[in-house]
PDB file of all heavy atoms in Angstrom:
ATOM      1  N   ASP A  35     -15.854 -20.676 -21.028  1.00  0.00           N
ATOM      2  CA  ASP A  35     -15.261 -20.156 -19.905  1.00  0.00           C
ATOM      3  C   ASP A  35     -13.821 -20.712 -19.806  1.00  0.00           C
ATOM      4  O   ASP A  35     -13.504 -21.683 -19.118  1.00  0.00           O
ATOM      5  CB  ASP A  35     -16.029 -20.501 -18.609  1.00  0.00           C
ATOM      6  CG  ASP A  35     -15.578 -19.964 -17.353  1.00  0.00           C
ATOM      7  OD1 ASP A  35     -14.565 -18.997 -17.497  1.00  0.00           O
ATOM      8  OD2 ASP A  35     -15.858 -20.298 -16.202  1.00  0.00           O
ATOM      9  N   THR A  36     -12.906 -20.110 -20.451  1.00  0.00           N
ATOM     10  CA  THR A  36     -11.576 -20.556 -20.510  1.00  0.00           C
ATOM     11  C   THR A  36     -10.635 -19.317 -20.665  1.00  0.00           C
ATOM     12  O   THR A  36     -11.129 -18.229 -20.778  1.00  0.00           O
ATOM     13  CB  THR A  36     -11.275 -21.622 -21.584  1.00  0.00           C
ATOM     14  OG1 THR A  36      -9.928 -22.157 -21.445  1.00  0.00           O
ATOM     15  CG2 THR A  36     -11.328 -21.008 -23.018  1.00  0.00           C
ATOM     16  N   TRP A  40      -5.024 -20.432 -18.772  1.00  0.00           N
ATOM     17  CA  TRP A  40      -5.329 -21.812 -18.439  1.00  0.00           C
ATOM     18  C   TRP A  40      -4.806 -22.904 -19.494  1.00  0.00           C
ATOM     19  O   TRP A  40      -4.134 -23.818 -19.165  1.00  0.00           O
ATOM     20  CB  TRP A  40      -6.739 -22.012 -18.243  1.00  0.00           C
ATOM     21  CG  TRP A  40      -7.107 -23.375 -17.497  1.00  0.00           C
ATOM     22  CD1 TRP A  40      -7.337 -23.554 -16.236  1.00  0.00           C
ATOM     23  CD2 TRP A  40      -7.221 -24.683 -18.075  1.00  0.00           C
ATOM     24  NE1 TRP A  40      -7.489 -24.827 -15.920  1.00  0.00           N
ATOM     25  CE2 TRP A  40      -7.479 -25.647 -17.092  1.00  0.00           C
ATOM     26  CE3 TRP A  40      -7.037 -25.230 -19.446  1.00  0.00           C
ATOM     27  CZ2 TRP A  40      -7.637 -27.005 -17.330  1.00  0.00           C
ATOM     28  CZ3 TRP A  40      -7.182 -26.537 -19.585  1.00  0.00           C
ATOM     29  CH2 TRP A  40      -7.477 -27.447 -18.494  1.00  0.00           C
ATOM     30  N   THR A  45      -1.279 -27.168 -21.592  1.00  0.00           N
ATOM     31  CA  THR A  45      -1.338 -28.067 -22.906  1.00  0.00           C
ATOM     32  C   THR A  45      -0.181 -27.705 -23.873  1.00  0.00           C
ATOM     33  O   THR A  45       0.128 -28.580 -24.712  1.00  0.00           O
ATOM     34  CB  THR A  45      -2.654 -27.902 -23.510  1.00  0.00           C
ATOM     35  OG1 THR A  45      -2.698 -26.492 -24.131  1.00  0.00           O
ATOM     36  CG2 THR A  45      -3.881 -28.097 -22.709  1.00  0.00           C
ATOM     37  N   CYS A 120      -5.729 -41.103 -32.981  1.00  0.00           N
ATOM     38  CA  CYS A 120      -4.510 -40.398 -33.127  1.00  0.00           C
ATOM     39  C   CYS A 120      -3.334 -41.470 -33.499  1.00  0.00           C
ATOM     40  O   CYS A 120      -2.206 -41.016 -33.955  1.00  0.00           O
ATOM     41  CB  CYS A 120      -3.992 -39.700 -31.803  1.00  0.00           C
ATOM     42  SG  CYS A 120      -5.385 -38.609 -31.308  1.00  0.00           S
ATOM     43  N   ARG A 159     -15.564 -26.897 -22.349  1.00  0.00           N
ATOM     44  CA  ARG A 159     -14.232 -26.386 -22.318  1.00  0.00           C
ATOM     45  C   ARG A 159     -13.115 -27.350 -22.126  1.00  0.00           C
ATOM     46  O   ARG A 159     -11.928 -27.210 -22.439  1.00  0.00           O
ATOM     47  CB  ARG A 159     -14.154 -25.322 -21.283  1.00  0.00           C
ATOM     48  CG  ARG A 159     -14.207 -25.854 -19.831  1.00  0.00           C
ATOM     49  CD  ARG A 159     -14.170 -24.623 -18.909  1.00  0.00           C
ATOM     50  NE  ARG A 159     -14.186 -25.191 -17.454  1.00  0.00           N
ATOM     51  CZ  ARG A 159     -13.922 -24.455 -16.468  1.00  0.00           C
ATOM     52  NH1 ARG A 159     -13.836 -23.226 -16.533  1.00  0.00           N
ATOM     53  NH2 ARG A 159     -14.168 -24.955 -15.247  1.00  0.00           N
ATOM     54  N   LYS A 160     -13.562 -28.641 -21.477  1.00  0.00           N
ATOM     55  CA  LYS A 160     -12.525 -29.617 -21.286  1.00  0.00           C
ATOM     56  C   LYS A 160     -11.987 -30.255 -22.482  1.00  0.00           C
ATOM     57  O   LYS A 160     -10.947 -30.851 -22.502  1.00  0.00           O
ATOM     58  CB  LYS A 160     -13.145 -30.674 -20.338  1.00  0.00           C
ATOM     59  CG  LYS A 160     -13.391 -30.272 -18.971  1.00  0.00           C
ATOM     60  CD  LYS A 160     -13.836 -31.334 -18.029  1.00  0.00           C
ATOM     61  CE  LYS A 160     -13.934 -30.823 -16.601  1.00  0.00           C
ATOM     62  NZ  LYS A 160     -14.314 -31.938 -15.714  1.00  0.00           N
ATOM     63  N   VAL A 163     -10.968 -27.011 -26.422  1.00  0.00           N
ATOM     64  CA  VAL A 163      -9.735 -26.206 -26.507  1.00  0.00           C
ATOM     65  C   VAL A 163      -8.474 -27.014 -27.149  1.00  0.00           C
ATOM     66  O   VAL A 163      -7.413 -26.352 -27.417  1.00  0.00           O
ATOM     67  CB  VAL A 163      -9.360 -25.473 -25.194  1.00  0.00           C
ATOM     68  CG1 VAL A 163     -10.581 -24.611 -24.665  1.00  0.00           C
ATOM     69  CG2 VAL A 163      -8.975 -26.677 -24.154  1.00  0.00           C
ATOM     70  N   LEU A 164      -8.597 -28.274 -27.062  1.00  0.00           N
ATOM     71  CA  LEU A 164      -7.481 -29.142 -27.347  1.00  0.00           C
ATOM     72  C   LEU A 164      -7.190 -29.483 -28.821  1.00  0.00           C
ATOM     73  O   LEU A 164      -6.071 -29.739 -29.043  1.00  0.00           O
ATOM     74  CB  LEU A 164      -7.645 -30.527 -26.614  1.00  0.00           C
ATOM     75  CG  LEU A 164      -7.880 -30.398 -25.098  1.00  0.00           C
ATOM     76  CD1 LEU A 164      -8.123 -31.759 -24.588  1.00  0.00           C
ATOM     77  CD2 LEU A 164      -6.688 -29.801 -24.341  1.00  0.00           C
ATOM     78  N   MET A 225     -14.126 -37.330 -22.852  1.00  0.00           N
ATOM     79  CA  MET A 225     -12.731 -37.622 -22.539  1.00  0.00           C
ATOM     80  C   MET A 225     -12.487 -37.542 -21.074  1.00  0.00           C
ATOM     81  O   MET A 225     -12.908 -36.527 -20.329  1.00  0.00           O
ATOM     82  CB  MET A 225     -11.689 -36.612 -23.242  1.00  0.00           C
ATOM     83  CG  MET A 225     -10.266 -36.992 -23.054  1.00  0.00           C
ATOM     84  SD  MET A 225      -9.210 -35.778 -23.870  1.00  0.00           S
ATOM     85  CE  MET A 225      -9.436 -34.432 -22.788  1.00  0.00           C
ATOM     86  N   GLY A 227      -9.626 -36.690 -19.169  1.00  0.00           N
ATOM     87  CA  GLY A 227      -8.342 -36.186 -19.412  1.00  0.00           C
ATOM     88  C   GLY A 227      -7.195 -36.755 -18.601  1.00  0.00           C
ATOM     89  O   GLY A 227      -6.128 -37.096 -19.132  1.00  0.00           O
ATOM     90  N   ARG A 228      -7.469 -36.905 -17.300  1.00  0.00           N
ATOM     91  CA  ARG A 228      -6.502 -37.414 -16.422  1.00  0.00           C
ATOM     92  C   ARG A 228      -5.972 -38.900 -16.808  1.00  0.00           C
ATOM     93  O   ARG A 228      -4.885 -39.195 -16.729  1.00  0.00           O
ATOM     94  CB  ARG A 228      -6.968 -37.379 -14.915  1.00  0.00           C
ATOM     95  CG  ARG A 228      -7.196 -35.945 -14.543  1.00  0.00           C
ATOM     96  CD  ARG A 228      -6.549 -35.529 -13.335  1.00  0.00           C
ATOM     97  NE  ARG A 228      -6.436 -34.199 -13.234  1.00  0.00           N
ATOM     98  CZ  ARG A 228      -6.388 -33.441 -12.122  1.00  0.00           C
ATOM     99  NH1 ARG A 228      -6.371 -34.002 -10.963  1.00  0.00           N
ATOM    100  NH2 ARG A 228      -6.219 -32.210 -12.173  1.00  0.00           N
ATOM    101  N   VAL A 230      -6.384 -40.321 -19.696  1.00  0.00           N
ATOM    102  CA  VAL A 230      -5.608 -40.328 -20.990  1.00  0.00           C
ATOM    103  C   VAL A 230      -4.215 -39.944 -20.767  1.00  0.00           C
ATOM    104  O   VAL A 230      -3.306 -40.467 -21.359  1.00  0.00           O
ATOM    105  CB  VAL A 230      -6.430 -39.585 -22.061  1.00  0.00           C
ATOM    106  CG1 VAL A 230      -5.664 -39.460 -23.348  1.00  0.00           C
ATOM    107  CG2 VAL A 230      -7.779 -40.105 -22.225  1.00  0.00           C
ATOM    108  N   TYR A 231      -4.036 -38.875 -19.929  1.00  0.00           N
ATOM    109  CA  TYR A 231      -2.695 -38.371 -19.729  1.00  0.00           C
ATOM    110  C   TYR A 231      -1.783 -39.394 -19.079  1.00  0.00           C
ATOM    111  O   TYR A 231      -0.638 -39.586 -19.570  1.00  0.00           O
ATOM    112  CB  TYR A 231      -2.797 -37.206 -18.751  1.00  0.00           C
ATOM    113  CG  TYR A 231      -1.612 -36.337 -18.540  1.00  0.00           C
ATOM    114  CD1 TYR A 231      -1.522 -35.135 -19.184  1.00  0.00           C
ATOM    115  CD2 TYR A 231      -0.580 -36.746 -17.763  1.00  0.00           C
ATOM    116  CE1 TYR A 231      -0.290 -34.322 -18.946  1.00  0.00           C
ATOM    117  CE2 TYR A 231       0.517 -35.967 -17.530  1.00  0.00           C
ATOM    118  CZ  TYR A 231       0.597 -34.746 -18.159  1.00  0.00           C
ATOM    119  OH  TYR A 231       1.699 -33.950 -17.989  1.00  0.00           O
ATOM    120  N   HIS A 262       3.129 -38.203 -31.524  1.00  0.00           N
ATOM    121  CA  HIS A 262       1.761 -37.563 -31.650  1.00  0.00           C
ATOM    122  C   HIS A 262       1.717 -36.407 -30.554  1.00  0.00           C
ATOM    123  O   HIS A 262       2.264 -36.524 -29.530  1.00  0.00           O
ATOM    124  CB  HIS A 262       0.633 -38.531 -31.347  1.00  0.00           C
ATOM    125  CG  HIS A 262      -0.637 -37.940 -31.197  1.00  0.00           C
ATOM    126  ND1 HIS A 262      -1.212 -37.239 -32.289  1.00  0.00           N
ATOM    127  CD2 HIS A 262      -1.570 -37.714 -30.199  1.00  0.00           C
ATOM    128  CE1 HIS A 262      -2.315 -36.694 -31.837  1.00  0.00           C
ATOM    129  NE2 HIS A 262      -2.596 -36.989 -30.668  1.00  0.00           N
ATOM    130  N   SER A 264      -0.317 -34.333 -28.190  1.00  0.00           N
ATOM    131  CA  SER A 264      -1.645 -34.075 -27.479  1.00  0.00           C
ATOM    132  C   SER A 264      -1.450 -33.134 -26.335  1.00  0.00           C
ATOM    133  O   SER A 264      -2.447 -32.485 -25.797  1.00  0.00           O
ATOM    134  CB  SER A 264      -2.241 -35.421 -27.116  1.00  0.00           C
ATOM    135  OG  SER A 264      -1.414 -36.155 -26.382  1.00  0.00           O
ATOM    136  N   ASN A 265      -0.268 -33.042 -25.702  1.00  0.00           N
ATOM    137  CA  ASN A 265      -0.079 -32.188 -24.550  1.00  0.00           C
ATOM    138  C   ASN A 265       1.417 -32.006 -24.292  1.00  0.00           C
ATOM    139  O   ASN A 265       2.124 -33.061 -24.160  1.00  0.00           O
ATOM    140  CB  ASN A 265      -0.754 -32.835 -23.392  1.00  0.00           C
ATOM    141  CG  ASN A 265      -0.618 -31.973 -22.119  1.00  0.00           C
ATOM    142  OD1 ASN A 265       0.485 -31.466 -21.836  1.00  0.00           O
ATOM    143  ND2 ASN A 265      -1.743 -31.716 -21.448  1.00  0.00           N
ATOM    144  N   ASN A 292      -3.983 -30.453 -31.013  1.00  0.00           N
ATOM    145  CA  ASN A 292      -3.923 -32.017 -31.329  1.00  0.00           C
ATOM    146  C   ASN A 292      -4.771 -32.212 -32.589  1.00  0.00           C
ATOM    147  O   ASN A 292      -5.959 -31.949 -32.600  1.00  0.00           O
ATOM    148  CB  ASN A 292      -4.567 -32.610 -30.120  1.00  0.00           C
ATOM    149  CG  ASN A 292      -4.649 -34.126 -30.176  1.00  0.00           C
ATOM    150  OD1 ASN A 292      -4.459 -34.603 -31.407  1.00  0.00           O
ATOM    151  ND2 ASN A 292      -4.889 -34.870 -29.258  1.00  0.00           N
ATOM    152  N   GLN A 322      -0.419 -42.372 -29.594  1.00  0.00           N
ATOM    153  CA  GLN A 322      -1.396 -42.957 -28.777  1.00  0.00           C
ATOM    154  C   GLN A 322      -2.732 -42.243 -28.933  1.00  0.00           C
ATOM    155  O   GLN A 322      -2.760 -40.985 -29.315  1.00  0.00           O
ATOM    156  CB  GLN A 322      -1.002 -43.056 -27.339  1.00  0.00           C
ATOM    157  CG  GLN A 322      -1.167 -41.722 -26.565  1.00  0.00           C
ATOM    158  CD  GLN A 322      -0.341 -40.598 -27.111  1.00  0.00           C
ATOM    159  OE1 GLN A 322       0.856 -40.756 -27.609  1.00  0.00           O
ATOM    160  NE2 GLN A 322      -0.811 -39.359 -26.911  1.00  0.00           N
ATOM    161  N   GLY A 323      -3.883 -42.958 -28.672  1.00  0.00           N
ATOM    162  CA  GLY A 323      -5.045 -42.306 -28.881  1.00  0.00           C
ATOM    163  C   GLY A 323      -6.254 -43.153 -28.552  1.00  0.00           C
ATOM    164  O   GLY A 323      -6.251 -44.157 -27.899  1.00  0.00           O
TER     165      GLY A 323
HETATM  166  C1  COA B 401      -7.034 -32.028 -20.782  1.00  0.00           C
HETATM  167  C2  COA B 401      -6.029 -31.559 -19.691  1.00  0.00           C
HETATM  168  C3  COA B 401      -5.119 -30.527 -20.204  1.00  0.00           C
HETATM  169  C4  COA B 401      -6.878 -31.182 -18.481  1.00  0.00           C
HETATM  170  O1  COA B 401      -5.912 -30.869 -17.445  1.00  0.00           O
HETATM  171  P1  COA B 401      -6.260 -31.457 -15.971  1.00  0.00           P
HETATM  172  O2  COA B 401      -5.250 -30.906 -15.041  1.00  0.00           O
HETATM  173  O3  COA B 401      -6.369 -32.887 -16.037  1.00  0.00           O
HETATM  174  O4  COA B 401      -7.660 -30.767 -15.670  1.00  0.00           O
HETATM  175  P2  COA B 401      -9.004 -31.389 -15.265  1.00  0.00           P
HETATM  176  O5  COA B 401      -9.786 -31.993 -16.356  1.00  0.00           O
HETATM  177  O6  COA B 401      -8.730 -32.255 -13.986  1.00  0.00           O
HETATM  178  O7  COA B 401      -9.737 -30.058 -14.676  1.00  0.00           O
HETATM  179  C5  COA B 401      -9.223 -29.250 -13.706  1.00  0.00           C
HETATM  180  C6  COA B 401     -10.024 -28.043 -13.597  1.00  0.00           C
HETATM  181  O8  COA B 401      -9.796 -27.235 -14.671  1.00  0.00           O
HETATM  182  C7  COA B 401     -10.991 -26.956 -15.290  1.00  0.00           C
HETATM  183  N1  COA B 401     -10.894 -26.859 -16.744  1.00  0.00           N
HETATM  184  C8  COA B 401     -10.866 -27.837 -17.670  1.00  0.00           C
HETATM  185  N2  COA B 401     -10.691 -27.366 -18.870  1.00  0.00           N
HETATM  186  C9  COA B 401     -10.541 -25.987 -18.751  1.00  0.00           C
HETATM  187  C10 COA B 401     -10.415 -25.045 -19.721  1.00  0.00           C
HETATM  188  N3  COA B 401     -10.258 -25.218 -21.091  1.00  0.00           N
HETATM  189  N4  COA B 401     -10.329 -23.747 -19.223  1.00  0.00           N
HETATM  190  C11 COA B 401     -10.387 -23.527 -17.919  1.00  0.00           C
HETATM  191  N5  COA B 401     -10.592 -24.468 -16.978  1.00  0.00           N
HETATM  192  C12 COA B 401     -10.669 -25.670 -17.372  1.00  0.00           C
HETATM  193  C13 COA B 401     -12.018 -28.072 -14.941  1.00  0.00           C
HETATM  194  O9  COA B 401     -13.377 -27.754 -15.037  1.00  0.00           O
HETATM  195  C14 COA B 401     -11.492 -28.281 -13.510  1.00  0.00           C
HETATM  196  O10 COA B 401     -12.126 -27.344 -12.719  1.00  0.00           O
HETATM  197  P3  COA B 401     -12.703 -27.746 -11.292  1.00  0.00           P
HETATM  198  O11 COA B 401     -11.518 -28.357 -10.522  1.00  0.00           O
HETATM  199  O12 COA B 401     -13.360 -26.489 -10.895  1.00  0.00           O
HETATM  200  O13 COA B 401     -13.692 -28.776 -11.575  1.00  0.00           O
HETATM  201  C15 COA B 401      -5.186 -32.905 -19.340  1.00  0.00           C
HETATM  202  O14 COA B 401      -5.874 -33.745 -18.664  1.00  0.00           O
HETATM  203  C16 COA B 401      -4.715 -33.621 -20.683  1.00  0.00           C
HETATM  204  O15 COA B 401      -4.047 -32.993 -21.467  1.00  0.00           O
HETATM  205  N6  COA B 401      -4.940 -34.895 -20.818  1.00  0.00           N
HETATM  206  C17 COA B 401      -4.660 -35.613 -21.982  1.00  0.00           C
HETATM  207  C18 COA B 401      -5.597 -35.257 -23.128  1.00  0.00           C
HETATM  208  C19 COA B 401      -5.239 -35.909 -24.350  1.00  0.00           C
HETATM  209  O16 COA B 401      -4.124 -36.156 -24.549  1.00  0.00           O
HETATM  210  N7  COA B 401      -6.227 -36.186 -25.105  1.00  0.00           N
HETATM  211  C20 COA B 401      -6.127 -36.747 -26.463  1.00  0.00           C
HETATM  212  C21 COA B 401      -5.406 -38.014 -26.437  1.00  0.00           C
HETATM  213  S1  COA B 401      -4.775 -38.417 -28.141  1.00  0.00           S
END
Side-chain angles (χ1 to χ4, degrees):
D35 182 12
T36 192
W40 194 95
T45 68
C120 307
R159 66 177 182 178
K160 290 189 177 182
V163 303
L164 302 174
M225 187 181 71
R228 297 232 159 153
V230 178
Y231 190 103
H262 173 60
S264 53
N265 182 310
N292 179 346
Q322 79 295 328

